[in-house]
Amino acid sequence: MLQVRDGAGEMLGVLFDRYQTPLFNFYSKLTGDRTLSEDLVQEVFLRILKYRQSYRPGTPFRAWVYQIARNARIDHFRKFPRERAFEPEMLPPVVPTDSAQEHQEAELLHRALLQLPEDKREILLLCRFQELKYEEIAKLLGCELNTVRTRIHRALQELRKSFHQLTEATLKQANAAAPENLPPRGGRHEV
Amino acid sequence: MKCEQISELLPDYLQGGLSPDQHHTVEAHLQQCVDCSEEVAVWRKLSLLPVEQPSPMSRVRFEAMLQAYQAGRSNEPASGPSWKKRPSSWNFFHWLRSPFGAAAWSAALLVIGVFAGFRMAGPKPLSPDIAEIQKELASTKQLVVLSMLQQQSASARLEGVSWSTREQQLNPQVLSALLHTLRYDPSVDVRLAALDALSRHSTQPQVRNSVVNALQEQQSPLVQVALIDQLVEWHDREAKPHLEKLRQSQDLNPAVRQRADWAISKLN
Ligand SMILES: [Zn+2]
């Protein structure tokens, strides 16, 4: 049986349970690649183990983890340059379904997100999904707080535009396919 | 107000960081500006994106990585107490197995050290960050409790039980470990301490069940009396048939039988 000489093992187990899903989602929504995302999550935990001395108690732990996560991704793409960037066109088309409108919206939004340039996508993921504060993001990206605000606004603007376009395109497709089969909207009766 | 000015406020609006005045200004603008309100809508819609789950193999890989890392670090031959055999109900600690054992005390020291660090470094008002790290540490502490409950020395296990009482909420693993300690720990003192710790969590149904079941299993009069007292304290009427059964068991300590009689009258 292994002898362990410090408490790192059990600490890391807790951290893994807590952060593996958020980190996995950060990577998978950023890269659209599940396998790569799982590899990167492993890399993050190995780095946490190696560099745990560099964490200063009293500083936001989450921000420290995402610092490591960003670096792991940057290093990965330095080592293995992408042959081509992720193309949303590689995805199968969204088939309009009238039953699960919310699901369809999510799918379109996901695509819109993947169409954003990577830095815009990343900043949205950091503040919307990883729940980092703007100050933490500023530190992470090495920029001013106001720059973070501006970038978030721009990213959101662009996301809105591509989401809008994708929605229009899908609607057109739906109307062309079955214009008379649209379900009645707001069909709830007054009692 | 113009969109440009609003756009400066928008990011803070989205995270709820505006003053009431500014908040009002933004809301008023959103009422009449399609572009800005769509931007807010898109932000809100982002919550529709599903949380994806990593594959279960991820955990397995992580374990392997951890072991490999630790094997690489510990070049010296293994020494010290060998791993204690535990009944199969301890299998749920399986995933924790390798990092545990002799590490307990150093982990405890580490946590204490970090806490001391807070006290010295942190001024009174708890910033959300510190609260978050404390949360992080609270679970680390629970892990330390788990590992201490598995120690060979009774005083270490006792310490583990008493650590568990410092947490208001116990995670399920710590709770199960304490229940296990109550039933099977070889030391009477540790079993009594476990009962005391568990009595704070009587709202958990499995705690009451275990106390009732322990009634039939325990041989030590001290523990039996403590269990009976606990049931009376909870006014647990459902325990009555179990107490009846106990008082009828052969070679029961007379003091325990007396206590059981008293408890039955109390629960009437
Ligand atoms: Zn506007």
Side-chain angles (χ1 to χ4, degrees), chain B residues 171-213:
Chain B
N171 74 27
Q173 276 136 346
V174 174
L175 194 64
S176 303
L178 280 175
L179 291 170
H180 186 276
T181 298
L182 171 65
R183 292 177 69 179
Y184 301 116
D185 198 284
S187 151
V188 167
D189 287 338
V190 177
R191 295 204 300 276
L192 287 172
L195 177 61
D196 186 47
L198 285 165
S199 67
R200 297 151 206 260
H201 304 279
S202 60
T203 48
Q204 308 271 0
Q206 71 265 46
V207 169
R208 285 186 180 233
N209 285 340
S210 294
V211 168
V212 169
N213 291 335

Side-chain angles (χ1 to χ4, degrees), chain A residues 77-183:
Chain A
F77 285 122
R78 201 174 284 149
K79 254 193 279 175
F80 307 98
R82 273 166 288 193
E83 284 169 13
R84 54 178 174 169
F86 182 82
E87 307 276 354
E89 289 75 34
M90 293 192 279
L91 290 166
V94 174
V95 184
T97 54
D98 35 44
S99 57
Q101 199 202 348
E102 202 170 75
H103 180 263
Q104 183 187 320
E105 258 194 334
E107 185 55 42
L108 290 173
L109 194 59
H110 188 205
R111 273 161 205 230
L113 195 64
L114 285 170
Q115 283 183 353
L116 293 188
E118 202 170 71
D119 57 331
K120 290 193 166 113
R121 188 157 67 238
E122 182 184 37
I123 203 167
L124 283 181
L125 289 173
L126 287 172
C127 67
R128 189 69 175 95
F129 294 98
Q130 315 313 128
E131 288 169 1
L132 289 175
K133 299 195 196 79
Y134 295 155
E135 295 91 52
E136 291 170 345
I137 295 173
K139 224 187 240 172
L140 202 59
L141 304 182
C143 63
E144 296 292 315
L145 189 54
N146 268 329
T147 314
V148 171
R149 291 197 183 97
T150 314
R151 284 197 200 171
I152 287 173
H153 170 62
R154 293 216 181 111
L156 220 43
Q157 253 181 339
E158 204 166 321
L159 182 67
R160 172 177 68 84
K161 277 180 199 145
S162 36
F163 177 63
H164 200 77
Q165 283 168 4
L166 284 170
T167 311
E168 297 270 281
T170 310
L171 275 180
K172 237 180 245 166
Q173 215 180 322
N175 290 339
E180 69 281 19
N181 280 351
L182 285 178

Side-chain angles (χ1 to χ4, degrees), chain B residues 104-178:
Chain B
W105 290 107
S106 53
L109 288 176
L110 175 72
V111 172
I112 293 166
V114 176
F115 267 106
F118 278 143
R119 300 262 155 76
M120 288 188 293
K124 295 144 287 161
L126 269 187
S127 82
D129 303 344
I130 290 188
E132 188 175 334
I133 298 170
Q134 280 184 339
K135 235 170 46 198
E136 207 89 59
L137 282 171
S139 24
T140 310
K141 254 167 71 188
Q142 303 217 354
L143 277 171
V144 173
V145 168
L146 280 180
S147 74
M148 290 208 287
L149 289 177
Q150 295 182 79
Q151 292 299 293
Q152 293 204 355
S153 115
S155 65
R157 298 198 304 277
L158 208 51
E159 187 73 0
V161 174
S162 94
W163 270 56
S164 77
T165 62
R166 288 175 220 170
E167 295 300 305
Q168 292 198 321
Q169 298 252 316
L170 292 184
N171 74 27
Q173 276 136 346
V174 174
L175 194 64
S176 303
L178 280 175

Side-chain angles (χ1 to χ4, degrees), chain A residues 1-21 24-25 28-29 34-35 38-39 41-42 45-46 49-50 52 55-62 102 105-107 109-110 113 124 127-129 131-134 136 148-150 152-154 156-157 159-160 163-164, chain B residues 7-8 10-12 14-15 35 38-40 42-55 57-59 61-62 65-67 69-71 73-81 83 95-100 102-104 106-107 110 114 118 128-130 132-133 135-137 139-140 143 147:
Chain A
M1 188 56 67
L2 284 171
Q3 286 282 310
V4 184
R5 280 171 184 77
D6 57 34
E10 49 274 59
M11 289 269 257
L12 204 64
V14 180
L15 296 179
F16 187 80
D17 288 340
R18 187 158 301 157
Y19 282 104
Q20 83 150 323
T21 306
F24 175 73
N25 276 269
S28 67
K29 290 186 167 69
R34 281 186 63 96
T35 313
E38 291 196 359
D39 288 350
V41 170
Q42 297 290 331
F45 283 96
L46 183 59
L49 196 58
K50 278 189 192 159
R52 63 185 182 279
Y55 170 68
R56 286 182 301 116
T59 59
F61 187 79
R62 186 184 294 272
E102 202 170 75
E105 258 194 334
E107 185 55 42
L109 194 59
H110 188 205
L113 195 64
L124 283 181
C127 67
R128 189 69 175 95
F129 294 98
E131 288 169 1
L132 289 175
K133 299 195 196 79
Y134 295 155
E136 291 170 345
V148 171
R149 291 197 183 97
T150 314
I152 287 173
H153 170 62
R154 293 216 181 111
L156 220 43
Q157 253 181 339
L159 182 67
R160 172 177 68 84
F163 177 63
H164 200 77
Chain B
S7 72
E8 284 168 22
L10 221 44
D12 286 309
L14 297 172
Q15 288 209 333
D35 280 0
E38 268 189 14
E39 202 172 313
V40 172
V42 146
W43 168 271
R44 300 216 163 113
K45 277 199 182 120
L46 279 172
S47 68
L48 292 176
L49 292 188
V51 174
E52 294 173 57
Q53 291 303 321
S55 80
M57 278 311 286
S58 209
R59 175 92 217 180
R61 273 177 74 190
F62 167 72
M65 181 274 284
L66 197 56
Q67 294 204 353
Y69 179 77
Q70 284 164 342
R73 268 169 53 97
S74 43
N75 300 318
E76 301 153 53
S79 61
W83 197 247
W95 65 274
L96 298 163
R97 69 202 179 285
S98 67
F100 275 68
S106 53
L110 175 72
V114 176
F118 278 143
D129 303 344
I130 290 188
E132 188 175 334
I133 298 170
K135 235 170 46 198
E136 207 89 59
L137 282 171
S139 24
T140 310
L143 277 171
S147 74

